[in-house]
Amino acid sequence: MVSDSKAAGGLSIRNRVSTGGEIQASTAAPTARYPLTSGQSSYYAQERARPEMSSSISATYRIEGELDVARFAEAIARTVGQHDALRIGLCDDVRLGTPTQLVRHQPDNASLLSCQQVRSSSEEQFSRYARLVHGKDLAEPWDLTTEYPFRFRLLRHSPTVHAFLASFSQVALDGRGMALVLRDLWQNFEHDTAHPDFPSVPQRPSFVRAAEQHAAGGSPRTAGFWQQRIAENCPSGEPPTERPDTIDQPRCVMAQATVSGAERAMLRERSKTYGCTEFQLTIAALAHAVLTEVATDDRLHIWLPVDARSPGDFDTSGMFTVSLPVALPRTGSLLEMARQVREEVMAVAANRQMDHAALAALQASFRETDTSRGWTVSAGYSNRDQNPGEKVAQGVVARPGSYPADFQYISRGVELKVLGGAGSLSITLALDSVFSADTAADRLLNAFSAGLGGIRLARCA
């Protein structure tokens, strides 16, 4: 049996240093209103349209060793003070037509970190409980008109084993933003930056100030680029394709491959031959497979998450990522498709910064095509070398990814996820259950594998 208790009766957080007056939060005016970034605006609209979908991004760590909980809590407090993206609130004012955001004051330390003593008979039971709590946090909707966009939990199994669960609203942070926050959290913990005799982590650039600059940013060239793409898209105007009854079908078909060693060397050489990156080659292989095996159109677009940060925003946390379509006409060969992918990805990245109205018009046009067809295609890439990995600090070891939430994954089309790294490359393909009604899933997987030079993806149970 597992039970838990709050900090008052569970973990004890000693007041080692009174940090309340020492945390230097960013100085955005507390009553000022700031525009959302295009990424925030788009995700906010998506969140309202599909409230059943999780709108969280998260990280988990298994912390081994005797953790100084008070020091860790202070590190969290300083990190929240450094990043105003962790203190934003939404002002959904109907008079303005679009929501705006403000920066809240630094919250009191007691509300920053939820600490629980977990009574469990084994670490396996503790891990199941941690995954359950993580899943509940991810499923819980956010109301940023009243709450902060983070949930920090520290679960204790024993004096030398803790689980740290961090969840964030994706209206506040994208993947890059979360990596910056976690980087500073562990640096604050390691160096005890609250102590006057130790160097402090510098105040990070203001997210809301960057959002303000982005709102005034869109260029006529970018607007013209996307107007042309919208004109070329030409949604058919036909009624949406009726989706088959999939109640008795698995929710989606998932297949994965971990590419390393000789296979990774082959993929790198193949990418070099095709004049593109490994990720671009996987996109080309997927587009070629979809157009060859299941699509009847002569054009396909694939949605990519694109970081719209300007060079000056590289070290700014927040939500800058926008979902943009890469348009790919049907070709006669994978080589030609790879060339198209390379050129189109570069063009989309060069025109990634646009105002809210332009992004809304663009997404509406291409989503109409998806609706008419009945499914969508998306691809995403992340690099494990760019994300905070295992941390060793103050006598503890923090191992990331230790408590994944148990989710029933739902795909509404074809979704490709690629996780890169120096040693291995992980490729995951999720197919909507509409493809499992016949042999479409097998045909897609076989054609995709052929495009990758024979790398086979194994179906997940």
Side-chain angles (χ1 to χ4, degrees), residues 233-298:
N233 183 43
C234 297
S236 65
E238 298 176 357
T241 300
E242 183 177 352
R243 295 173 57 82
D245 184 1
T246 56
I247 294 177
D248 296 327
Q249 298 289 344
R251 291 199 176 184
C252 71
V253 175
M254 292 192 69
Q256 294 178 321
T258 299
V259 185
S260 60
E263 271 194 331
R264 183 73 187 275
M266 179 276 294
L267 187 64
R268 283 173 168 157
E269 187 61 32
R270 187 174 178 84
S271 301
K272 183 178 179 180
T273 299
Y274 282 80
C276 59
T277 67
E278 290 174 304
F279 180 49
Q280 289 171 356
L281 180 60
T282 62
I283 294 174
L286 178 62
H288 196 63
V290 170
L291 285 167
T292 301
E293 300 299 333
V294 297
T296 58
D297 304 331
D298 288 330

Side-chain angles (χ1 to χ4, degrees), residues 150-275:
F150 61 81
R151 297 177 184 129
F152 295 123
R153 295 187 184 274
L154 186 66
L155 311 181
R156 180 178 180 174
H157 170 61
S158 70
T160 57
V161 176
H162 292 80
F164 175 54
L165 315 176
S167 303
F168 308 93
S169 165
Q170 285 197 271
V171 173
L173 287 184
D174 55 18
R176 169 68 182 165
M178 184 175 73
L180 292 171
V181 165
L182 294 174
R183 177 199 65 186
D184 287 349
L185 169 59
W186 290 111
Q187 188 172 349
N188 281 324
F189 175 67
E190 181 176 6
H191 297 295
D192 194 10
T193 53
H195 196 286
D197 295 334
F198 290 90
S200 62
V201 175
Q203 184 63 43
R204 294 307 177 192
S206 169
F207 168 58
V208 294
R209 302 289 190 193
E212 200 169 39
Q213 294 174 357
H214 276 242
S219 70
R221 178 182 62 82
T222 295
F225 174 86
W226 289 113
Q227 286 170 1
Q228 180 182 348
R229 288 296 188 275
I230 291 173
E232 293 172 348
N233 183 43
C234 297
S236 65
E238 298 176 357
T241 300
E242 183 177 352
R243 295 173 57 82
D245 184 1
T246 56
I247 294 177
D248 296 327
Q249 298 289 344
R251 291 199 176 184
C252 71
V253 175
M254 292 192 69
Q256 294 178 321
T258 299
V259 185
S260 60
E263 271 194 331
R264 183 73 187 275
M266 179 276 294
L267 187 64
R268 283 173 168 157
E269 187 61 32
R270 187 174 178 84
S271 301
K272 183 178 179 180
T273 299
Y274 282 80

Side-chain angles (χ1 to χ4, degrees), residues 397-410:
V397 179
R399 305 186 190 279
S402 300
Y403 305 102
D406 295 324
F407 269 128
Q408 179 68 54
Y409 193 83
I410 301 175

Side-chain angles (χ1 to χ4, degrees), residues 1-4 117-122 125-126 128-130:
M1 182 69 179
V2 179
S3 63
D4 64 276
Q117 173 71 56
V118 179
R119 299 183 182 91
S120 52
S121 59
S122 65
Q125 189 182 37
F126 171 76
R128 288 199 303 269
Y129 179 74

Side-chain angles (χ1 to χ4, degrees), residues 106-120:
Q106 176 81 7
D108 61 275
N109 289 1
S111 64
L112 286 171
L113 177 64
S114 172
C115 297
Q116 299 175 330
Q117 173 71 56
V118 179
R119 299 183 182 91
S120 52

